[in-house]
Amino acid sequence: MTTRPNHASRPNTALIRATLFGTLFVAGWPSLAHAATGSDTVGSAIQYALSSTINAAAHLIILLAFLAGIYLLGSGLMLLYEASDQNRGTGMREGVLKLLAGSALCALPALLGISVETILNTAVYGGSTSAPIGAVQSCVSISGSIPMTCVLKNIASNVVPIATEAAFVICWVVALILLFNTVYGLAVSQGRGGSAAPQYWKLKLVAAGILANLPIFLEIIANTLGIHTGTVNASGFQGMSGGQVSSILAYAPSGVSGQLAQYTQEISYGFVIISMFGIFYALYGLALLMNPQSNKSKFDIAWHIIGGVALANPNYSVCLLVNTLMGSKFGFC
């Protein structure tokens, strides 16, 4: 009689996870160090780390998933052969599950609705791992401009676009890891004499889908709040265009005089910077939502997400606030 192979020899999930993160650390540390010493601005340093380290990390994860998928396909075929050889259904369910999981891991990026070429050059939301960053100017000795305006412009044009893009791409890589770990865990758990699936596996699959499409998720929430043209859409961050504040965030009051009219540039650049922190705040709320062990209440989590989206669209939020309190929009919308 044919006997089943010893399942104790199966690859250890914890070992695979440790190998993955260890390799990412070893491969990514030199790139981050080079980015810190070889670049003269924060934006260019983020861009270098994003285009080199994150690309390498995505390739590595996809490669490991492909190898794990091949293993699961082979293991599944063996289990199906044993089940048919024994003329009984034992092992049939496990074999089919491993075939499905192996096929999914072999095409991991496609499982998230994107191809390898898409994520490594243009992300699912239409962004890029090399988003354009604006040139900085010296704010020490300038004429015809307020030094604070210069500083705000440098941050808004050089840091904000690439920092938000980095957040979106990193979330996509995290989604890859979540999906890889969950699908593999579901497959191997069936071979341990029971059907104990990985803890919170449904939540992890949903989280992977949201993280892979974070800009679209933020856009949906903004539309729900009544913001029909927000700073984030399927193409990524839209607050800057060609090194200038886009019309979405630009403060251009008509019929407004006084201090507000004098500081239109400062307000516009300030809106861009605030929108970046709003995106990060919403992302933090999303992380709390996806953490089943979080001690935050549902209200706190919703406040982080909704408040973050509101901050990511500061012109709309300020317009709503001043119009409610003072009965005038002051040109904010």
Side-chain angles (χ1 to χ4, degrees), residues 238-251:
Q238 302 298 308
M240 296 291 294
S241 177
Q244 300 296 325
V245 182
S246 69
S247 59
I248 299 175
L249 290 178
Y251 179 58

Side-chain angles (χ1 to χ4, degrees), residues 227-263:
I227 307 173
H228 301 296
T229 306
T231 56
V232 178
N233 58 23
S235 298
F237 182 70
Q238 302 298 308
M240 296 291 294
S241 177
Q244 300 296 325
V245 182
S246 69
S247 59
I248 299 175
L249 290 178
Y251 179 58
S254 59
V256 177
S257 59
Q259 296 296 324
L260 287 176
Q262 295 179 16
Y263 295 103

Side-chain angles (χ1 to χ4, degrees), residues 125-147:
Y125 44 86
S128 172
T129 55
S130 57
I133 55 176
V136 299
Q137 65 180 105
S138 174
C139 301
V140 178
S141 58
I142 56 175
S143 59
S145 179
I146 303 175

Side-chain angles (χ1 to χ4, degrees), residues 1 44 50 109 111 157 178 184-185 187 203-204 221 227 233 251 260 290:
M1 177 171 35
S44 56
L50 182 63
L111 194 60
S157 62
L178 270 178
Y184 185 83
L203 177 63
K204 291 178 181 179
I221 296 181
I227 307 173
N233 58 23
Y251 179 58
L260 287 176
M290 296 176 181

Side-chain angles (χ1 to χ4, degrees), residues 184-198:
Y184 185 83
L186 279 172
V188 299
S189 66
Q190 303 303 309
R192 296 170 181 165
S195 58

